[in-house]
Amino acid sequence: MRFRTLIPSALLAVFLLFYSSCKNGGVEPPPDNNRPDTTSHDFTWQIDTLGAGNGSILYDVANIDANNIWAVGELYLKDSAGQYSGPAFNAARWDGGKWNLVKILVRDYGTVTGYFPLKAVFAFGLNDVWFASSADLIQWNGTSFVSIAFFMTSIPFDGQVAQMWGTSSSNLYCVGRTGAIYHFIGSSWQKLSSGTTLDVRGIWGATANAETEILAVAANSSAPLDRSILRVSGTSVQTLADSGIIKEPLSGVWFSMNKKYYVVGSGIYRKNSLNDTRWTGAPLELTAYYSSDVSGNDTNDVVVVGAFGDLLHYNASTWKQYPELRINGSFYSVSFVGNTVVAVGYTGNRAIAVIGRRQ
């Protein structure tokens, strides 16, 4: 999750008026002198709704491979009498044929435990998957779910986790509300000084030539003019320049190290180098909707998702939209690995998971 603001359904008609000006086939991006070979826009889409209503929702997704996908959130079911029964499922696992709903025990403050909502998921492999509630960090080790770390050291607590990224199970970063950044190193953790009280909504990193770069984006729904782009280096955090971003809230970040850097929110912005001081926006006619998240395989294979089922693929030459995915809801998270892209969120009062497969 990246602390998205849910847009009331009543606004759908207004946004659809703007959508009529968007192009589905191919909007040319700004010139790229080092453009790689293009990739295919052709995906076959599978759309699944999960939960039986009651505000069922999926916040985040981790795509290990086409037959192993984890998603987290709140999924409510009804009993034989048509009543919502028991605690919600807080995870779902795709096994290549169907989604299996899962209840993962979560720690709350003190000795309280329950099947509370999970907000983030990140996978290093089939038997090394990490889940986060607002404060509990849990590992799936292939056999069981184990609570490994707990970030709520006192109450009231305003550092709830929203997203995570890492290089291994002994080097994991969790980010969240009011500038919270936690660094877990396998046996202990520390809260980093982020230099901001904005909600940290997204984080992504990459490693190349024994060097690791980590970026995070922060914003505040109650003060939409505020935003920060952060660079995390070990235990230090630096605020980067955001010149060129003309719309304020940011929710997602993804990059291919030393090639192309993306941030998304009220717009889609990119630059070629971390040293560039200015971000370039995608064409304004590309999308009229808020973009929640971005993921990719390389600079020629990038996906952006957002409000009303907006999903766009960039192949180093053109952007393509997929209007067949339009929903009365929003995609909150996307994970793109190989030829499989997975987007999750909500539609109406049910959770939604969309899997795109490319031949």
Side-chain angles (χ1 to χ4, degrees), residues 70-248:
W70 283 94
V72 296
E74 307 172 51
L75 302 167
Y76 299 88
L77 296 183
K78 292 182 178 180
D79 59 22
S80 57
Q83 303 297 315
Y84 293 105
S85 60
F89 292 83
N90 51 15
R93 183 176 188 177
W94 174 258
D95 63 7
K98 63 181 183 302
W99 287 99
N100 301 285
L101 303 191
V102 182
K103 290 182 179 179
I104 300 175
L105 196 64
V106 174
R107 177 185 172 187
D108 205 345
Y109 191 68
T111 60
V112 177
T113 59
Y115 298 106
F116 305 118
L118 291 170
K119 300 300 181 66
V121 57
F122 193 84
F124 297 108
L126 292 176
N127 299 324
D128 193 7
V129 185
W130 291 77
F131 303 84
S133 67
S134 293
D136 197 12
L137 184 61
I138 300 163
Q139 182 190 29
W140 165 252
N141 57 22
T143 304
S144 59
F145 299 94
V146 181
S147 178
I148 302 294
F150 189 69
F151 303 123
M152 190 188 304
T153 57
S154 62
I155 49 176
F157 175 62
D158 63 357
Q160 291 89 347
V161 172
Q163 183 65 297
M164 55 182 162
W165 179 89
T167 60
S168 71
S169 57
S170 59
N171 183 37
L172 188 62
Y173 291 85
C174 299
V175 300
R177 292 192 187 277
T178 61
I181 302 178
Y182 309 99
H183 184 204
F184 176 73
I185 59 172
S187 58
S188 61
W189 63 273
Q190 68 177 116
K191 186 175 182 179
L192 308 187
S193 177
S194 66
T196 182
T197 58
L198 300 176
D199 298 334
V200 187
R201 300 180 174 188
I203 184 171
W204 182 258
T207 299
N209 300 321
E211 181 184 357
T212 298
E213 287 181 350
I214 306 170
L215 298 184
V217 291
N220 193 330
S221 299
S222 62
L225 297 181
D226 295 335
R227 64 167 182 267
S228 287
I229 302 173
L230 308 173
R231 181 179 184 180
V232 183
S233 301
T235 59
S236 66
V237 182
Q238 171 191 8
T239 301
L240 300 182
D242 59 6
S243 176
I245 299 178
I246 59 174
K247 296 182 179 181
E248 289 77 18

Side-chain angles (χ1 to χ4, degrees), residues 55 74 99 113 142 170 240 272 285 298-299 303 328 336:
E74 307 172 51
W99 287 99
T113 59
S170 59
L240 300 182
N272 295 329
E285 69 269 27
D298 206 338
T299 58
V303 168
N328 182 17
F336 192 12

Side-chain angles (χ1 to χ4, degrees), residues 306-323:
F308 300 101
D310 200 26
L311 191 149
L312 306 97
H313 177 245
Y314 177 63
N315 71 350
S317 177
T318 59
W319 290 89
K320 179 177 174 59
Q321 290 179 303
Y322 301 87

